[in-house]
Amino acid sequence: MDYTYAIDLDDFVDDFTDCKTGECRVNVLPILFQISQIITESEDLPSSLALILKVMQSRMRIVRGAVSLYDREGGNIFIHESFGLTEEQKARGTYAPGEGITGQVVEAGKAIIVPELRNNPSFLNRTQARTDGTDLNFSFFCVPILHGRKVLGTISAERVYANRRLLKQDVELMATIASMIAPAVELYLLENIDKVRLEAENQRLSAALKQRFKPSNIIGNSKPMQEVYELIHKVAVTKATVLVLGESGVGKELVANAIHYNSTTADGPFIKFNCAALPESIVESELFGHEKGSFTGAAAMRKGRFELADGGTIFLDEVGELSLSMQAKLLRVLQEKTFERVGGARPVKVDLRIIAATNRDLPQMVEQGTFREDLYYRLNVFPITIPPLRERGSDVILLADYFVAQYAEESGREAKRISTPALNMLMAYHWPGNVRELENVIERSVILSEDGVIHGYNLPPSLQTSVESGTSFGCGIEAKLAAVEYEMIVEALKTHVGNVTEAAKDLGLTRRILGLRMERYGLDYKAFRKK
């Protein structure tokens, strides 16, 4: 049975002063008067919304409440103010007219009551605030904010279900408030529509960034990576300086992203600077900024990366490439969080977290005198070493599958899987270029693939040796043909679970000929039988 029903306000005839339900609504009348005064005197929408949410939370026992606005030009409905929702959940709460309960209210201009969420297929759980499903027995109601016949947004709420009469009273109260704030909402939308649209987009992008860079989205389940995830989780909630170590291509920047976007300053800026990317003569200006006229070409004052990162995080990649003079200046910032712009005398103080990364052996550089010992100890507060890909076992396959899906979508090609011989080659290779090299290999293989499968012969020649393939094909055209034949036989046996007769039929060979070729390549049909 569908408990969702649209309601006209004329249908409400219940006595609003009857307190037999146990939640007397007379007590909210002074609040309604306050809201009326605020709207009349100031037309300040934020103040009005703060009072509405306070009424819903403290006087009506609402568990979650939200005021959504309708951007008519953009065709989007998004949560503007709420309680009971995190910022990420709030950012996900966007709808089109007619989509979900909120979209249906905007489209029809009528309130909707759902006595129990679990019984309504229109409820989308777009905010993902009910991941465990324990509160799907809550009631949900949503009323339109109307000015004339124009729908400007909605007020929605969730509460523990008591009875149908109480829900009707709640809807009547919310509809009254919605009609009171409607003129202020319309004025706000007219004056701030660009700001409102930008705010909604910023919320969406912020939620997407946090989702993208949280540690669970760094691909890999190997034990070494699990240890890295644990370190990220522990240090993210602090403001400690972090030194990320590892070979080139292991994903040090990805770890820095995860630390920042899971920290208490995640809403602050995240500024990246590659210390090896620029000549030494301009590194100081890039890091600390400069004053107008401090050198030829300095036509105006310019803030440096440290100043831009104030309130957030600065990521210094390849920190081992800094000169000794720049190391001394960086040391002062680490100690005092203070610096001067080039050509300036006024100290600039910043509040930020510093994450540095390098693929160099800093202790060895300290011994050689090419890296300051005091700076090393300042940076090495919380070191995180990222393991090379060759030490991550089956993570190679997880990463390869991820890159196959990514580049197949980007290039519009069909690449559904990686063949067994190709997987063997990927697993046997030593990956000197780490994840970056694997990504490049898969991108190339997706482009070369023609039948939706990445075969061993689609991989670069550096992977197609006798060691990687498990055979001794040698070089030349005959060797390459043998490699292709070997892979086709393996694929057929795998497809038919070791059934030699069916595999031979699939390959267009007799069972005897296939048996001879399997013997040549040392293949046993039993190895392809399911355990």
Side-chain angles (χ1 to χ4, degrees), residues 21 39 76 188 197 224 243 285 331 458 479 498:
T21 59
I39 295 172
N76 296 317
Y188 182 83
R197 190 176 294 125
L243 179 61
S285 174
L331 179 63
N458 297 136

Side-chain angles (χ1 to χ4, degrees), residues 438-501:
L438 173 62
E439 182 177 2
N440 293 339
V441 164
I442 296 301
E443 182 178 10
R444 174 187 186 275
S445 302
V446 168
I447 295 171
L448 293 175
S449 174
E450 296 179 348
D451 59 355
V453 178
I454 293 178
H455 299 282
Y457 50 82
N458 297 136
L459 299 177
S462 58
L463 275 70
Q464 298 182 41
T465 66
S466 59
V467 175
E468 274 82 36
S469 64
T471 60
S472 301
F473 296 128
C475 302
I477 190 169
E478 291 297 329
K480 294 301 179 186
L481 289 173
V484 173
E485 182 180 57
Y486 167 81
E487 181 156 346
M488 291 180 68
I489 293 172
V490 169
E491 284 295 294
L493 289 170
K494 184 177 178 182
T495 301
H496 297 289
V497 201
N499 188 317
V500 179
T501 302

Side-chain angles (χ1 to χ4, degrees), residues 64 116-118 125 129-138 158 160:
R64 295 186 189 93
E116 284 191 73
L117 287 172
R118 69 174 71 254
N125 192 20
R130 306 153 197 83
T131 53
D132 58 358
T134 55
D135 46 4
L136 287 177
N137 59 336
F138 283 5
E158 291 177 49
V160 176

Side-chain angles (χ1 to χ4, degrees), residues 146-434:
L146 292 165
H147 195 221
R149 295 187 178 182
K150 187 191 297 183
V151 180
L152 307 173
T154 67
I155 303 176
S156 57
E158 291 177 49
R159 58 160 300 146
V160 176
Y161 178 66
N163 57 57
R164 188 177 295 266
R165 180 180 178 184
L166 182 60
L167 289 178
K168 286 185 177 181
Q169 291 182 349
D170 286 341
V171 170
E172 185 175 44
L173 174 59
M174 285 296 100
T176 302
I177 295 173
S179 64
M180 293 169 66
I181 68 167
V185 171
E186 183 171 41
L187 182 62
Y188 182 83
L189 287 172
L190 287 172
E191 293 179 346
N192 300 278
I193 189 61
D194 291 335
K195 179 182 175 183
V196 166
R197 190 176 294 125
L198 183 61
E199 175 187 315
E201 181 65 8
N202 283 342
Q203 288 177 356
R204 184 190 67 79
L205 290 175
S206 177
L209 282 172
K210 288 188 176 184
Q211 182 69 18
R212 179 181 175 187
F213 292 119
K214 67 180 183 180
S216 59
N217 279 5
I218 299 176
I219 298 169
N221 295 321
S222 61
K223 189 174 184 295
M225 288 306 296
Q226 292 294 336
E227 293 171 357
V228 170
Y229 298 157
E230 186 177 353
L231 292 174
I232 292 173
H233 175 71
K234 288 180 177 178
V235 78
V237 296
T238 73
K239 295 191 72 174
T241 300
V242 180
L243 179 61
V244 186
L245 303 168
E247 297 177 5
S248 179
V250 293
K252 295 187 288 293
E253 185 176 328
L254 193 62
V255 170
N257 284 328
I259 293 171
H260 171 73
Y261 286 109
N262 286 274
S263 70
T264 55
T265 58
D267 294 331
F270 181 52
I271 304 298
K272 306 172 186 178
F273 181 74
N274 190 317
C275 301
L278 296 172
E280 183 183 345
S281 57
I282 61 174
V283 168
E284 183 178 3
S285 174
E286 285 294 319
L287 285 176
F288 306 120
H290 60 253
E291 298 289 353
K292 180 180 179 181
S294 57
F295 54 83
T296 303
M301 187 277 286
R302 183 174 182 274
K303 292 183 178 181
R305 306 299 175 92
F306 273 96
E307 202 166 348
L308 293 173
D310 189 23
T313 303
I314 185 168
F315 174 54
L316 303 175
D317 198 8
E318 304 296 347
V319 72
E321 307 303 321
L322 288 175
S323 66
L324 287 170
S325 60
M326 281 306 306
Q327 292 175 29
K329 293 172 182 176
L330 177 59
L331 179 63
R332 183 190 172 197
V333 181
L334 283 166
Q335 290 173 332
E336 304 173 11
K337 297 293 192 297
T338 303
F339 60 90
E340 288 90 30
R341 300 189 192 103
V342 175
R346 184 177 63 86
V348 179
K349 192 167 184 63
V350 290
D351 179 21
L352 46 70
R353 183 215 287 273
I354 296 174
I355 302 177
T358 183
N359 60 358
R360 303 284 295 274
D361 187 342
L362 293 186
Q364 185 180 19
M365 292 180 67
V366 169
E367 289 181 10
Q368 296 170 349
T370 56
F371 199 86
R372 292 180 61 109
E373 184 176 15
D374 46 4
L375 176 59
Y376 170 67
Y377 288 118
R378 281 285 179 183
L379 290 172
N380 199 39
V381 176
F382 195 94
I384 298 178
T385 301
I386 314 302
L389 187 56
R390 62 183 172 274
E391 295 178 5
R392 292 174 56 179
S394 60
D395 284 355
V396 173
I397 305 305
L398 291 175
L399 286 161
D401 286 339
Y402 171 79
F403 291 135
V404 166
Q406 175 183 325
Y407 287 109
E409 182 178 355
E410 286 184 9
S411 61
R413 302 179 69 89
E414 279 197 24
K416 300 176 182 177
R417 65 185 182 88
I418 306 172
S419 70
T420 300
L423 287 176
N424 292 337
M425 294 179 189
L426 293 174
M427 288 295 292
Y429 188 58
H430 59 289
W431 298 110
N434 291 294

